[in-house]
Amino acid sequence: MAADWEAMMKLMIRAKQDPKLAAGLERLGSLMESEEGAALARVMADGGSDVLKAASEAMLRGDKAAAKAALARLLSTKEGAAAASKLADLVSRG
């Protein structure tokens, strides 16, 4: 948990120096205040964040098949697919 806070603080410091990062954080903040953001938060709380972590770890190991399998689990639900689409949209605008 302490590492999460440290990472968040570093991100906030970088955002002050990087306008693109600051804009992305602003968009994320706006999203989280919307109904879509609430739906995204529910998906992440219901295990979506674990799936993304597993996919990321698999990619770092070079195991593309495991990463695809993890993401397929997330995308197999209507809510997961909508959350992934919204995150992709948010990232692509950066």
Side-chain angles (χ1 to χ4, degrees):
M1 185 74 156
D4 292 338
W5 282 107
E6 183 179 338
M8 187 181 301
M9 293 304 294
K10 286 180 181 178
L11 184 63
M12 290 171 66
I13 291 167
R14 276 189 41 224
K16 287 184 176 186
Q17 301 166 348
D18 184 346
K20 281 181 77 174
L21 180 56
L25 290 174
E26 183 66 32
R27 285 194 308 272
L28 181 59
S30 295
L31 170 64
M32 296 314 293
E33 293 174 356
S34 70
E35 182 56 39
E36 288 177 313
L40 174 61
R42 284 191 295 276
V43 168
M44 292 297 114
D46 288 341
S49 59
D50 294 335
V51 170
L52 292 176
K53 181 179 179 184
S56 298
E57 289 172 346
M59 286 301 293
L60 288 172
R61 291 190 312 270
D63 190 348
K64 291 181 183 178
K68 281 181 151 180
L71 290 175
R73 287 194 313 270
L74 179 66
L75 298 174
S76 68
T77 67
K78 178 182 171 185
E79 297 82 6
S85 176
K86 192 63 183 173
L87 281 174
D89 180 53
L90 183 68
V91 169
S92 70
R93 288 190 279 160

